[in-house]
């Protein structure tokens, strides 16, 4: 009896130790850095914060990021959803081709963003055939908006596909087939049968895509050339501010980005709960 | 008839658009890097790679990524375990906070670490007076890598623990197994697949990381210059051949890891 009581006490002690350690890791690794940055943004008071955010280059950079997020999220959602549908349902592809394509979808995860940017410079830059052609026509890809969108699209490609695919696999094709034999095909089947079951996965994929395109740095830095008031995004402006030892400005722009990130985190939690329910 | 034809035309058009998009966006650029680094001949590729700054940067990346992955596997398993098994105040909050490094731009993550541990900060100056140097040295790179890859192991271990029946554990206990014995014989084996696949994801992400690291690393060749920062430097100085050579080395390594992850995950599960 005494021995058993000892074990219970020991276990309670262990429990407290583990919970305490968990709090310690969170505090040191996540909360302290975040808090430090938020305080750093107010280093020069509210005035310093607003004047850093209202700098013309900061406003331009935030606008650039906004446009990229919008374009990329739209395209990636559309193509990612279709890709997932084809990879799970496409009977016009053989099984082995589907498996092969499926394994390639993940590749952008393993590619360093800098390499992603380099790839686009190599393929579409001024030195390449395609890039030279477009330049002749008067259309710039690299060191301009289109290249930055392409770089971000590359980086975000797996996010939507990987969210939608498992749900499609889970619900199976029976309902869709039933709808098809009853005469409804194509869009009707998709909107009435498929969409309701995948929509929360799509919402989750959209949130992940927004987060990734908002925060993309390496690929965009290489492709954009980081030209102030032209191709500079919010994250590359933060980088430049730090390089120039302009810490308060870097903190202020970071704070704006962090506020968005926390908003996305809350949306993620909300979508995750819905996703579980379907 | 007309309707069916039109419908088929649409279907065909959609299929080829999506496939073309996939090939142009993902497959072609990847092949392009390999093509570019081999196009100047095998000799020049070897020359680019035998530059000590180049191969040392890859080696250093590998070393630090392994180190940060090990930290993440140990810490992530512990946190995953605590967040599933124990009830305590603030648990839901911590559980949502896990994903913060995914939601936060990596450059912001790097800046936060720089601020917290930098020369002017409390921790930075304390460490400096003890003779430790964190920022612009290897510890900062490891911290940045651990920060960025923090959620992977936790999110891989959690579902496995939730699935584990408490009865299995109780059975082991009633049969007289001690606490540590139950842990090593019942709980750890069930978490192992998550630790491995989460750890490998964290490893491949740490190898590729750029944004968080570039701000906190000193970028001294051979000591704090990691591969992705080296590639960026080569691109900036217009040496795309050198950048592509190191890129294919890094890419091949990462693809091997990715292939291993798929292999581990597909064991016992078919697509």
């Amino acid at each position: 009896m005494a021995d058993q009581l000892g074990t219970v006490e020991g276990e309670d002690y262990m429990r407290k130790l583990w919970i305490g350690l968990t709090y310690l890791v969170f505090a040191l690794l996540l909360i302290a850095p975040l808090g430090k940055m938020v305080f750093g943004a107010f280093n020069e008071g509210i005035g310093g914060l607003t004047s850093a955010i209202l700098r013309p280059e900061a406003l331009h950079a935030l606008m650039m990021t906004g446009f990229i997020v919008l374009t990329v999220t739209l395209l990636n959602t559309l193509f990612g959803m279709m890709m997932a549908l084809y990879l799970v349902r496409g009977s016009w592809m053989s099984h082995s081709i589907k498996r092969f394509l499926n394994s390639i979808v993940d590749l952008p995860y393993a590619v360093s963003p800098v390499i992603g940017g380099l790839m686009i410079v190599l393929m579409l830059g001024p030195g390449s055939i395609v890039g030279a052609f477009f330049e002749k026509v008067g259309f710039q890809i690299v060191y301009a908006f289109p290249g930055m969108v392409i770089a971000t699209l590359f980086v975000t490609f797996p996010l939507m596909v990987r969210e939608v695919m498992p749900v499609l696999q889970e619900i199976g094709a029976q309902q869709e087939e039933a709808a098809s034999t009853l005469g409804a095909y194509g869009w009707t089947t998709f909107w009435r049968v498929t969409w309701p079951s995948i929509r929360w996965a799509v919402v989750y994929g959209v949130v992940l895509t927004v987060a990734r395109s908002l925060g993309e740095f390496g690929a965009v830095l290489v492709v954009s050339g980081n030209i102030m008031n032209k191709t500079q995004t919010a994250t590359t402006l933060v980088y430049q501010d730090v390089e120039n030892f302009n810490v308060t400005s870097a903190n202020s722009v970071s704070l704006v980005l962090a506020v968005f990130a926390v908003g996305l985190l809350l949306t993620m939690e909300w979508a995750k709960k819905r996703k579980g329910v379907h | 008839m007309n309707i069916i034809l039109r419908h088929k035309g649409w279907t065909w058009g959609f299929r080829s658009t999506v496939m073309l998009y996939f090939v142009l966006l993902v497959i072609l650029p990847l092949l392009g890097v390999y093509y570019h680094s081999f196009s100047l001949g095998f000799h020049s590729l070897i020359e680019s790679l035998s530059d000590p700054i180049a191969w040392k940067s890859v080696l250093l990346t590998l070393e630090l990524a392994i180190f940060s992955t090990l930290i993440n596997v140990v810490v992530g398993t512990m946190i995953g375990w605590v967040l599933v098994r124990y009830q305590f105040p603030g648990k839901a909050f911590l559980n949502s906070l896990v994903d913060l490094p995914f939601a936060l731009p990596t450059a912001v993550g790097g800046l936060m670490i720089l601020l917290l541990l930098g020369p002017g900060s409390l921790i930075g100056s304390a460490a400096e007076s003890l003779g430790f140097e964190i920022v612009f040295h290897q510890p900062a790179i490891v911290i940045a890598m651990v920060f960025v890859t923090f959620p992977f192991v936790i999110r891989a271990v959690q579902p496995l623990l939730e699935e584990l029946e408490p009865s299995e554990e109780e059975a082991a206990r009633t049969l007289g197994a001690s606490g540590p014995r139950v842990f090593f014989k019942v709980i750890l084996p069930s978490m192992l697949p998550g630790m491995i696949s989460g750890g490998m994801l964290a490893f491949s992400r740490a190898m590729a990381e750029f944004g968080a690291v570039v701000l906190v690393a000193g970028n001294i060749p051979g000591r704090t210059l990691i591969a992705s920062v080296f590639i960026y430097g080569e691109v900036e100085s217009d040496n795309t051949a050198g950048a592509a050579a190191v890129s294919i080395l890094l890419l091949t390594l990462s693809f091997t890891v990715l292939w291993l992850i798929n292999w581990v995950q597909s064991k016992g599960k078919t697509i």
Side-chain angles (χ1 to χ4, degrees):
Chain A
M1 187 67 198
D3 186 42
Q4 214 170 7
L5 210 65
T7 334
V8 170
E9 251 170 37
E11 223 156 76
D12 192 51
Y13 173 73
M14 286 298 278
R15 176 178 170 269
K16 277 183 183 147
L17 179 76
W18 289 128
I19 294 172
L21 271 176
T22 302
Y23 261 107
L24 189 73
V25 172
F26 273 94
L28 284 181
L29 196 65
L30 300 178
I31 299 169
L34 191 66
K36 182 89 183 176
M37 190 206 67
V38 174
F39 276 113
F42 290 99
N43 240 351
E44 292 166 17
I46 298 267
L49 174 71
T50 46
S51 70
I53 295 173
L54 294 177
R55 285 178 298 169
E57 62 262 35
L59 287 177
H60 189 275
L62 286 168
M63 188 186 75
M64 211 56 193
T65 298
F67 282 143
I68 289 177
V69 168
L70 221 67
T71 318
V72 166
T73 307
L74 212 71
L75 287 173
N76 190 48
T77 306
L78 210 69
F79 282 106
M81 242 162 63
M82 304 256 278
M83 191 72 198
L85 269 170
Y86 288 151
L87 282 179
V88 178
R89 298 277 191 268
S91 48
W92 45 281
M93 279 188 286
S94 77
H95 197 69
S96 51
I97 291 183
K98 270 197 267 189
R99 273 183 81 108
F100 175 69
L101 291 179
N102 185 45
S103 62
I104 292 181
V105 168
D106 282 328
L107 291 188
Y109 277 149
V111 175
S112 176
V114 183
I115 300 178
L118 170 68
M119 292 186 328
I120 289 156
V121 172
L122 287 179
M123 299 285 293
L124 304 171
S128 69
I129 305 165
V130 186
F133 169 76
F134 274 107
E135 200 140 314
K136 230 184 211 167
V137 186
F139 188 73
Q140 211 182 354
I141 301 177
V142 169
Y143 310 122
F145 187 70
M148 294 156 75
V149 168
I150 296 171
T152 316
L153 279 173
F154 172 81
V155 171
T156 53
F157 184 74
L159 296 172
M160 183 59 75
V161 182
R162 283 291 169 255
E163 282 307 315
V164 176
M165 268 184 75
V167 181
L168 281 174
Q169 278 163 343
E170 205 182 300
I171 58 171
Q174 283 115 330
Q175 283 190 330
E176 284 162 34
E177 276 160 14
S180 289
T181 37
L182 288 174
Y185 52 73
W187 284 113
T188 324
T189 310
F190 178 78
W191 281 117
R192 292 285 175 81
V193 183
T194 315
W195 175 248
S197 39
I198 62 169
R199 63 183 162 188
W200 292 112
V202 172
V203 169
Y204 199 67
V206 167
V207 177
L208 289 179
T209 309
V210 171
R212 193 66 213 263
S213 46
L214 186 78
E216 186 42 47
F217 172 64
V220 167
L221 184 65
V222 170
V223 170
S224 71
N226 204 6
I227 309 161
M228 195 186 272
N229 284 328
K230 248 188 98 192
T231 60
Q232 195 163 52
T233 63
T235 49
T236 55
L237 174 65
V238 169
Y239 174 64
Q240 198 193 340
D241 278 341
V242 175
E243 293 285 285
N244 296 341
F245 300 105
N246 203 346
V247 180
T248 309
S249 305
N251 277 328
S252 308
V253 180
S254 293
L255 184 67
V256 176
L257 288 170
V259 167
F260 275 108
V262 170
L264 286 168
L265 206 62
L266 294 174
T267 321
M268 247 189 240
E269 279 298 304
W270 173 77
K272 212 188 278 174
K273 274 183 201 130
R274 293 298 184 107
K275 200 173 67 162
V277 182
H278 291 315
Chain B
M1 189 63 198
N2 202 9
I3 294 169
I4 293 173
L5 263 182
R6 216 160 54 204
H7 176 67
K8 279 202 168 153
W10 272 105
T11 315
W12 191 84
F14 270 131
R15 281 175 193 171
S16 16
T17 312
V18 172
M19 286 304 142
L20 195 69
Y21 175 85
F22 184 52
V23 169
L24 286 181
L25 187 74
V26 179
I27 301 178
L28 216 60
L30 281 173
L31 293 177
V33 178
Y34 279 88
Y35 173 76
H36 190 83
S37 42
F38 282 111
S39 66
L40 298 170
F42 198 67
H43 185 72
S44 121
L45 175 70
I46 293 295
E47 204 170 291
S48 295
L49 286 180
S50 57
D51 175 6
I53 298 178
W55 64 259
K56 272 185 184 164
S57 75
V58 176
L59 212 64
L60 179 73
T61 313
L62 199 66
E63 206 177 290
L64 297 179
I66 289 174
F67 198 61
S68 62
T69 304
L70 288 178
I71 294 177
N72 252 327
V73 168
V74 173
V75 174
T77 307
M78 179 196 85
I79 291 176
W81 158 259
V82 170
L83 286 179
V84 171
R85 273 309 157 90
Y86 296 133
Q87 300 300 326
F88 57 93
K91 176 177 158 173
F93 170 69
L94 290 191
N95 198 20
S96 322
L97 205 62
V98 170
D99 288 321
L100 183 73
F102 281 167
L104 211 62
T106 52
V108 175
L111 173 67
M112 290 184 342
I113 293 165
L114 182 66
L115 287 175
L116 190 73
L117 307 174
S121 72
L122 206 71
I123 302 174
S125 41
E128 209 164 310
S129 64
L130 288 173
F132 259 124
E133 301 197 74
I134 303 176
V135 162
F136 309 128
H137 290 79
Q138 290 179 3
I141 302 176
V142 174
I143 293 170
M145 283 176 171
V146 169
F147 176 85
V148 170
T149 57
F150 182 66
F152 283 112
V153 176
I154 301 176
R155 291 299 184 228
V157 165
Q158 273 179 328
L160 296 175
L161 278 173
E162 273 158 11
E163 261 172 44
L164 181 71
E165 299 277 330
S167 59
E168 263 184 73
E169 239 180 286
E170 276 160 27
R173 261 176 224 279
T174 29
L175 289 173
S178 62
R181 211 179 137 81
V182 173
F183 183 79
F184 284 110
K185 290 277 169 178
V186 181
I187 299 165
L188 197 65
S190 67
M191 288 196 290
L192 202 61
M195 288 161 71
I196 293 174
S197 66
M200 282 200 284
L201 278 173
F203 175 71
S204 71
R205 181 67 204 269
M207 290 273 295
E209 186 47 36
F210 173 70
V213 172
V214 73
L215 286 176
V216 297
N219 305 333
I220 304 157
R223 290 192 44 220
T224 53
L225 182 70
I226 63 157
S228 59
V229 180
F230 173 78
I231 295 168
Y232 175 64
E234 294 297 284
V235 174
E236 286 293 280
S237 50
D238 262 331
N239 180 14
T240 47
V246 176
S247 294
I248 63 165
L249 197 62
L250 202 64
L251 279 178
T252 311
L253 262 168
S254 313
F255 291 160
T256 315
V257 174
L258 198 69
W259 180 78
L260 275 173
I261 297 169
N262 277 334
W263 182 73
V264 167
Q265 282 177 343
S266 68
K267 268 206 321 191
K269 191 175 82 177
T270 46
I271 298 164

